[in-house]
Amino acid sequence: MQERILEIEDLHFSFDTYAGEVHAVRGVSLYVNKGETLAVVGESGCGKSVTVQSVMKLIPTPPGRLKSGKIYYCGENITHYSQKQMQRLRGNEMSMIFQDPMTSLNPTMRIGRQIAEGILKHEKISAKEAKQRAIEMLKKVGISNPEKSYRRYPHQFSGGMRQRVMIAMALVCNPKVLFADEPTTALDVTTQAQILELINELKEELGTSVVIITHDLGVVARTAERIAVMYAGKVVETGLARDIFYNPKHPYTSGLLESMPSGGETGKTLASIPGTPPDLFAPPKGCAFAPRCRYCMKICQEMPPEATELENGHSVFCWLMHPQAPKYELPGRKSRLKTPDLKGDL
């Protein structure tokens, strides 16, 4: 059994607003093994980013509120760590690449100083040594002329280069866990591939566990060993990447895969999932995906489904997996066999 470096158990997280309570995360359970890449996938608003930010305690309280659940890091319960205790972990033990580097980097500070700042905070070394470490990290992430780039400001870099700076800042203290929140959203296809390759290379070199938050299944195919699919604040399916891509069991997972454009095909209508996600001010009592599901049964609207455990850690929350449910076949499996660059041996 692989060593688990991070484990989340039955996490519930809400936001208290003037309009009422938003149930953003509703019983999420996840784990990350040492040295692996886990992808958390789902539509916007499904609770992916909130789950990760609640682990690092980056959400202001109020309005955010951890209602219940446990978070274990290296076997230690950090659920109720104070901000002072979390400051020792952030950057040093666990780090994060944020979605938009231009809003995450300080526009008034040279990027070298921003990278060196984390080293000086967590390690007892001189400013000269911290500067040298920062320059070496800039070189490692592919920034040309790192000595000169050390003194540049964020606006002097392109979007792809700023994302590389964010990666350098996140990894400069060799954290054990790296969270990447939509790391390639605003980048062109070529730059996306370069950033993903860079994250993979640094992960292998440094032995870091990576959690990628994304809605892009193309990103997932090239990076992740395991995938967790989220919908309306819950995990609906989780398993090895090859099982999720080639043998999905939840209709929502199948819908996400069907909505992926297929390279080389023209004149074909792009599939979509009809309807909209539920209102998390008043979450449904049954399966949240029921109103959008073509296989919806009466029980789906009345009770939330329990987990069905399959082979290789494949887990599904769907009433269709019940022995008394009607037999069904999710569409489009053959077309997905053409999915390129899936990580691992198939």
Side-chain angles (χ1 to χ4, degrees), residues 44-306:
S44 296
C46 71
K48 308 184 300 293
S49 296
V50 174
T51 299
V52 167
Q53 291 182 22
S54 63
V55 171
M56 295 188 70
K57 296 191 186 299
L58 294 174
I59 301 173
T61 305
R65 175 164 53 94
L66 179 63
K67 296 176 66 178
S68 63
K70 294 181 179 179
I71 303 165
Y72 293 94
Y73 172 70
C74 292
E76 184 174 352
N77 189 348
I78 64 169
T79 311
H80 300 294
Y81 265 27
S82 65
Q83 283 296 328
K84 190 172 182 180
Q85 288 173 305
M86 287 304 299
Q87 284 173 9
R88 290 197 290 268
L89 289 181
R90 293 192 206 114
N92 192 32
E93 296 286 331
M94 54 179 71
S95 200
M96 190 164 186
I97 304 170
F98 292 95
Q99 187 167 347
D100 185 358
M102 198 58 196
T103 57
S104 303
L105 293 168
N106 188 332
T108 67
M109 287 176 62
R110 302 180 194 275
I111 61 106
R113 183 181 168 194
Q114 294 187 57
I115 297 171
E117 194 174 48
I119 308 171
L120 291 169
K121 182 175 180 62
H122 293 290
E123 300 180 25
K124 294 181 179 180
I125 62 174
S126 66
K128 185 178 179 180
E129 289 174 312
K131 178 181 178 179
Q132 190 57 41
R133 281 263 301 275
I135 290 172
E136 289 172 2
M137 199 67 206
L138 285 172
K139 183 178 180 181
K140 190 173 289 187
V141 298
I143 299 290
S144 59
N145 199 347
E147 291 83 3
K148 187 176 180 181
S149 296
Y150 180 91
R151 297 187 54 79
R152 289 179 176 168
Y153 291 91
H155 71 272
Q156 295 176 290
F157 292 86
S158 66
M161 289 297 106
R162 283 196 292 268
Q163 195 64 283
R164 289 173 184 269
V165 170
M166 287 294 297
I167 294 171
M169 191 180 301
L171 293 174
V172 73
C173 290
N174 296 335
K176 294 178 181 176
V177 181
L178 173 66
F179 298 105
D181 189 357
E182 302 276 9
T184 62
T185 296
L187 306 176
D188 61 79
V189 176
T190 303
T191 309
Q192 281 185 15
Q194 292 172 351
I195 294 298
L196 293 173
E197 185 64 28
L198 174 62
I199 291 174
N200 272 335
E201 288 175 0
L202 292 173
K203 171 204 162 189
E204 297 296 332
E205 182 180 338
L206 303 174
T208 305
S209 300
V210 179
V211 179
I212 290 187
I213 304 162
T214 183
H215 60 269
D216 187 344
L217 286 162
V219 170
V220 169
R222 292 192 294 270
T223 56
E225 284 94 4
R226 287 194 306 113
I227 298 173
V229 182
M230 284 189 68
Y231 184 78
K234 289 190 172 187
V235 173
V236 297
E237 185 167 7
T238 182
L240 297 175
R242 60 189 176 193
D243 290 332
I244 298 296
F245 268 89
Y246 292 98
N247 193 26
K249 294 299 185 182
H250 198 286
Y252 178 63
T253 307
S254 177
L256 288 179
L257 291 166
E258 281 298 292
S259 65
M260 286 178 64
S262 298
E265 293 187 9
T266 58
K268 184 180 177 182
T269 303
L270 188 64
S272 63
I273 303 174
T276 57
D279 183 0
L280 292 182
F281 280 106
K285 63 179 181 179
C287 174
F289 189 62
R292 306 173 72 184
C293 182
R294 70 181 78 179
Y295 307 100
C296 179
M297 300 177 289
K298 186 176 180 181
I299 192 171
C300 301
Q301 300 172 330
E302 297 176 352
M303 293 179 63
E306 297 179 354

